[in-house]
Every structure is written in structure tokens, then in C-alpha cells.
Amino acid sequence: TAIDPRDPELRIARLVDEGKFEFLIPRSSCGVIAVTGLVKGNKVVIFASDATVKSGALGVDGSKVIVSAYKAAMGAQVPIIGIWHSGGARLSDGVASLDAFGEVFQSMISASGRIPQLSLVLGPTAGGGAYGPALTDVVVLAPEGRIFVTGPEVVKSVTGEDIDMALLGGPEAHKKNSGLAHIIAPTEQAAFDDVRDLTALFANHGFMSPDVSDIDLSVCVPDSKIRTYEVHPLIDSLLDQETEHIELLSMWAPNMTTIIGRLGGATVGVIANNPAHLAGVLDAAAGEKAARFVRTCDAFGIPL
């Protein structure tokens, strides 16, 4: 029989080097699995919702798996990656599942700024499952990813408004409005590739080479001071070519640009006003975007 494409082992195998990983805890029907493996040569801990069991709904036992994954990642001081596709709390576990979610959130808060936390959202993740990615450092949203606290049926029963999952919590909702999803991937494979690149940038900062070639950046800006220009060619010319290079929150507050890449082989963060949008002014959204990025780089010792 064909393997369900939602199977968490299949998804983890797509993320890790050579598809190889080891279970932290034996797989069960709790709705989550946790493993260790290598991503671009860097050791990581990964947990993944098991959407083949009760739509990935999380109960007491599943929450314990995630908490154990965080303890392992914190102990080894390695990045932790969450693959999300969850219906939220398990109704069969009653209010205990909400307490269990609280334990997961506490683990995330305790790890904040100490180890990189990355989220890959591949399917609908609702209720408590929406708070999980929101508490992490970088959220990558695949085309079929959906992040919302309350589903369409509940919204309709309360407000009378008809809305589908895509409009409620899909890429369009998070692209320009919420600032929750840092990367909106065009394909599911691109989402996996982005998480791999992010892991390399956060886990392996490298060492900056003094042999960075001189670049004439004047060709990237207009001669006239009153002419507007697009800042991306300037940043692209400055950073290393053919290495990991990812823009975060590209569609949210585009008047501020935040990019993580490499300069002379070392991981660096770039913040830049973009004159092509709102003349590059610093409004509230752009200020929040820049502040969040600076805080993340500061927490992990990434030069700006």
C-alpha cells in the first residue's frame, strides 16, 4: 500500500540529510514523533505532527513528546525544528490537553533566544497548534499550510461570515496582514529547502574570511539623490553569491528589508530601508519587523 503523504516519517526524511534519522522516543499513536538527525551536516532535533492519527490533534502524551524534544535540543544546544499539521487539542483528552499545550508553550518560551526554533507548516494547524509556530523564531508556510486559532465553521456560527481555511489562515492571510509567516514558500519542496538553508545559517555561523572582494556598489543606486531605487540588488551584491540567502517577511512591511545570508562565509543579518516602498519610511509595522529581526540576530550572536 502507498504511504500516506502526511506520514511524519516521510516528511522528516525529506528534511534530513540522506533521509536518515533516529527516534528520540518510539513512535506511538500520540499524534507526534520526535527524532534526531543531520540537516546540511548540522545536528538537529525534529518533532512532527502525525496528521494520519486524529488529524494530528495533540493530547497529553503527544505534548510530552514535544517537551522531551525540547529538553534534548536544549541539552545538546542544537536547533529544533517543528513540522506542523495539527487539528489542535485532542477533545478526547478534555481539559488536560489544554494543560499539556501549556507545557509545550513553556518549553518554547524557556528555549527562546537560547536555541534556534524553526517551524515548517505543511497543512492546517489550528487552535493550540497555531500558537506553537507563532512562538518560534522563523515560520515557513507551505502552499497548503494554514494557521488559524478558530476554524471557518466556528467563525461562521459566531459572525455569520462565510470564509474558507485558505482565506482565514493561508498564505494570503499571512503574507501581508499578520507578519506571522516569515517565509511564504511557492511549493512544498521550496519550503523544505528553505528550512534546510535556515538551519545551516543558524547552526553553522562559519568564520568571516578577510578575502571578501571589493564591489562597486555605486552601480546599484541612482546618481540623483532624489530618485527612488530598489534595495535588493544592493544587498545581493554585498552578500556572498551561491550560498544560503533568505529574506524574512518579504511581503509584510516591504519598506523595511530583513535578510539573513553569508558575508565572507559567515552568517550575517541585513536590515535595510527600501526606498521602493513608502520611500523607505519607518512606520509601525516596519519598526516591529526590524526590531524582531535585530532581537533574533542578537540572541544567536549573528552580526548585523
Side-chain angles (χ1 to χ4, degrees):
T1 58
I3 300 177
D4 191 319
R6 301 172 300 163
D7 186 271
E9 290 188 45
L10 201 64
R11 287 171 162 173
I12 290 172
R14 290 177 65 182
L15 187 62
V16 296
D17 297 348
E18 300 177 358
K20 297 178 181 177
F21 56 85
E22 294 182 3
F23 281 95
L24 270 174
I25 297 168
R27 184 173 179 176
S28 67
S29 60
C30 69
V32 184
I33 68 171
V35 307
T36 59
L38 298 178
V39 173
K40 286 199 166 185
N42 303 288
K43 184 179 179 182
V44 297
V45 173
I46 304 171
F47 65 88
S49 305
D50 187 350
T52 66
V53 179
K54 297 185 178 181
S55 298
L58 195 67
V60 174
D61 292 336
S63 297
K64 288 178 180 176
V65 172
I66 298 179
V67 171
S68 296
Y70 265 88
K71 286 180 179 176
M74 285 284 283
Q77 284 293 286
V78 298
I80 186 165
I81 303 168
I83 301 177
W84 294 89
H85 185 162
S86 170
R90 279 196 180 185
L91 295 179
S92 57
D93 283 18
V95 73
S97 66
L98 301 181
D99 177 67
F101 258 118
E103 295 290 334
V104 171
F105 300 155
Q106 181 60 51
S107 295
M108 292 176 165
I109 293 166
S110 298
S112 181
R114 299 186 179 187
I115 57 171
Q117 301 180 62
L118 309 177
S119 292
L120 172 58
V121 181
L122 296 177
T125 181
Y131 294 109
L135 288 171
T136 59
D137 297 308
V138 182
V139 179
V140 178
L141 187 65
E144 296 304 314
R146 308 284 184 263
I147 306 173
F148 48 79
V149 176
T150 304
E153 294 301 321
V154 178
V155 170
K156 184 177 180 180
S157 68
V158 174
T159 68
E161 182 178 358
D162 266 315
I163 188 168
D164 61 22
M165 282 198 285
L167 286 173
L168 187 61
E172 286 302 317
H174 294 299
K175 187 182 289 184
K176 295 181 180 180
N177 299 331
S178 72
L180 175 62
H182 297 78
I183 299 171
I184 309 290
T187 65
E188 188 168 281
Q189 186 56 50
F192 279 93
D193 293 341
D194 286 338
V195 172
R196 285 179 57 80
D197 285 347
L198 285 164
T199 301
L201 287 164
F202 277 104
N204 180 14
H205 290 184
F207 297 95
M208 192 170 291
S209 167
D211 302 324
V212 178
S213 57
D214 289 330
I215 303 165
D216 181 11
L217 298 177
S218 65
V219 298
C220 300
V221 296
D223 294 330
S224 171
K225 293 182 179 180
I226 61 172
R227 280 191 59 196
T228 188
Y229 64 94
E230 172 61 55
V231 81
H232 286 85
L234 185 65
I235 300 171
D236 292 343
S237 298
L238 186 66
L239 295 176
D240 295 348
Q241 307 298 311
E242 308 301 326
T243 61
E244 298 92 358
H245 175 123
I246 295 180
E247 181 171 4
L248 304 181
L249 296 169
S250 62
M251 297 298 293
W252 187 64
N255 41 318
M256 176 60 70
T257 303
T258 50
I259 290 177
I260 183 169
R262 293 192 186 274
L263 177 62
T267 300
V268 296
V270 179
I271 54 172
N273 301 91
N274 191 353
H277 296 274
L278 294 179
V281 300
L282 191 69
D283 60 6
E288 181 183 345
K289 176 177 175 177
R292 285 164 57 183
F293 185 70
V294 170
R295 186 173 68 237
T296 298
C297 289
D298 177 56
F300 302 116
I302 297 172
L304 275 172

